[in-house]
Amino acid sequence: MIEGSAPAKIILFGEHAVVHGQPAVAIPFSALRARVGVAGESAAAELRSGSGELLAALHSPQVGDPRLLQMLRVIERGLDAPAPARVFQLTSDIPPASGLGSGAAVATALTRAMAQCAGLSLDAEQLNRIVLETEKLFHGTPSGIDNTVVVYERPLCFTRGRQARPVQVSRALELLVADSGERCATHVPVSAVRELLRRRPQQTGACIEAIGRTSRRALAILAGDSPAEIGPLMYKNHELLRALEVSSPRLDRLVRAAREAGAAGAKLSGAGRGGTVIALIDESTRAVVSRALTQAGATRIWRTMIPATKRARPDP
Ligand code: PMV
């Protein structure tokens, strides 16, 4: 059976600053996935929802969502082969426009399914290049972090234009991921930051550099003996994102609620102006933080881990 699948992603540190050349740290969120199966033949490739609704079709360009149609075309071009004349059926657990990388996951799952169907084998680098092209359809200047984490499905430190690096984590950490219920397309806050940079270059540039420093510091802490100490850096990163004007009253309320309930750290994650807040917790704070997030308006809460990485043990 043909199925392409890809995970959501969570940005731990560095969103927005990563668009402007600073490092960012992200992990896959494998429990939430986009999946694309093949439901039958068609006159030309088409994409349908799980319930059968036509989302985009190469044979009927006038129906469906024009951006999804462009996505089909960009993938076809990237595969350098005619798109298989099949019905591709998309189901996804990932809320769109919520900072969890839904667009990159859908494009990755669809590219994987189309490649399998066409009998093509793609390596991760080729796939990543194609998905980056689809990301450009949704917001002109993606840094490349979403597609890279989603395609490789591992924790990465990403700097635009450089090879992504694996992240060392000495001990697993636990996160709550809270959906604010607010939706905002990525290009809106990304454009707002660019506009802020134009209007207040010095202040905004300093803020972006400070976010870059939190990412670098976080990498060192995660690899060290007390990784839970990244908590305060998360609060700091959230304040810097507020200064970039990409938070929202509801996201601030969720971060404040997490803090007051004892979370070691919390911040918005992804493009902001809506979407998701992440909170660093442990066994002793899990229930109370979760309750506080719900009371502060979270519409859904998931639990996930920042997994520990294996280290070479010294010889006994
Ligand atoms: O909200 P998302 O999942 O689209 O994440 C966007 C991350 C940004 O740094 C805001 C944009 C980018 O291209 O890196």
Side-chain angles (χ1 to χ4, degrees):
M1 193 190 71
I2 288 175
E3 187 188 82
S5 141
K9 67 96 212 332
I10 294 168
I11 298 184
L12 298 178
F13 291 95
E15 49 274 271
H16 287 289
V18 69
V19 175
H20 303 278
Q22 297 295 327
V25 185
I27 59 169
F29 184 9
S30 298
L32 293 192
R33 304 192 78 83
R35 294 186 178 81
V36 174
V38 179
E41 307 218 333
S42 173
E46 61 180 57
L47 184 64
R48 288 186 181 267
S49 70
S51 60
E53 184 198 348
L54 187 62
L55 302 174
L58 291 182
H59 54 75
S60 309
Q62 67 289 358
V63 294
D65 180 335
R67 287 168 317 164
L68 290 175
L69 177 67
Q70 274 185 290
M71 184 192 277
L72 277 174
R73 288 184 172 142
V74 165
I75 296 172
E76 182 177 51
R77 209 176 314 134
L79 291 175
D80 201 16
R86 300 290 180 88
V87 178
F88 292 94
Q89 198 155 32
L90 166 70
T91 50
S92 179
D93 316 317
I94 312 169
S98 62
L100 291 170
S102 163
V106 168
T108 303
L110 179 57
T111 308
R112 283 182 168 142
M114 281 172 69
Q116 274 181 55
C117 221
L120 301 169
S121 74
L122 283 182
D123 64 28
E125 223 170 287
Q126 291 168 310
L127 176 61
N128 200 20
R129 263 200 302 274
I130 296 172
V131 181
L132 176 62
E133 289 308 307
T134 68
E135 286 279 279
K136 290 180 186 166
L137 298 171
F138 295 100
H139 78 106
T141 56
S143 65
I145 190 169
D146 279 21
N147 46 289
T148 305
V149 174
V150 164
V151 164
Y152 287 88
E153 201 164 348
R154 49 178 133 114
L156 290 174
C157 171
F158 181 90
T159 307
R160 199 169 186 166
R162 296 206 199 139
Q163 183 81 25
R165 286 186 293 130
V167 174
Q168 296 302 318
V169 182
S170 61
R171 226 169 304 139
L173 297 172
E174 190 175 336
L175 289 178
L176 291 179
V177 182
D179 186 353
S180 69
E182 274 179 320
R183 300 282 170 258
C184 186
T186 305
H187 69 90
V188 175
V190 169
S191 308
V193 171
R194 184 156 285 120
E195 175 57 20
L196 204 62
L197 251 177
R198 201 187 56 74
R199 277 196 288 122
R200 299 204 301 253
Q202 256 177 339
Q203 237 173 308
T204 309
C207 190
I208 286 170
E209 279 174 24
I211 292 178
R213 284 196 295 279
T214 65
S215 296
R216 279 187 278 270
R217 181 85 193 102
L219 284 171
I221 292 178
L222 285 170
D225 293 333
S226 312
E229 284 172 12
I230 62 158
L233 277 183
M234 293 170 74
Y235 288 126
K236 178 159 187 209
N237 195 160
H238 184 74
E239 284 311 311
L240 291 165
L241 289 165
R242 267 167 56 81
L244 286 184
E245 300 178 5
V246 295
S247 190
S248 72
R250 197 184 294 202
L251 293 173
D252 290 344
R253 193 159 65 239
L254 290 171
V255 170
R256 207 166 40 244
R259 183 172 212 154
E260 285 167 10
K267 63 181 274 292
L268 74 83
S269 180
R273 300 258 174 112
T276 302
V277 159
I278 54 173
L280 184 66
I281 49 138
D282 58 26
E283 230 186 307
S284 68
T285 54
R286 187 187 299 143
V288 61
V289 173
S290 179
R291 214 165 27 245
L293 286 168
T294 303
Q295 277 163 3
T299 53
R300 255 179 305 185
I301 297 174
W302 300 273
R303 196 158 67 84
T304 190
M305 303 301 286
I306 306 175
T309 48
K310 292 193 187 74
R311 279 204 215 162
R313 282 169 186 267
D315 290 335

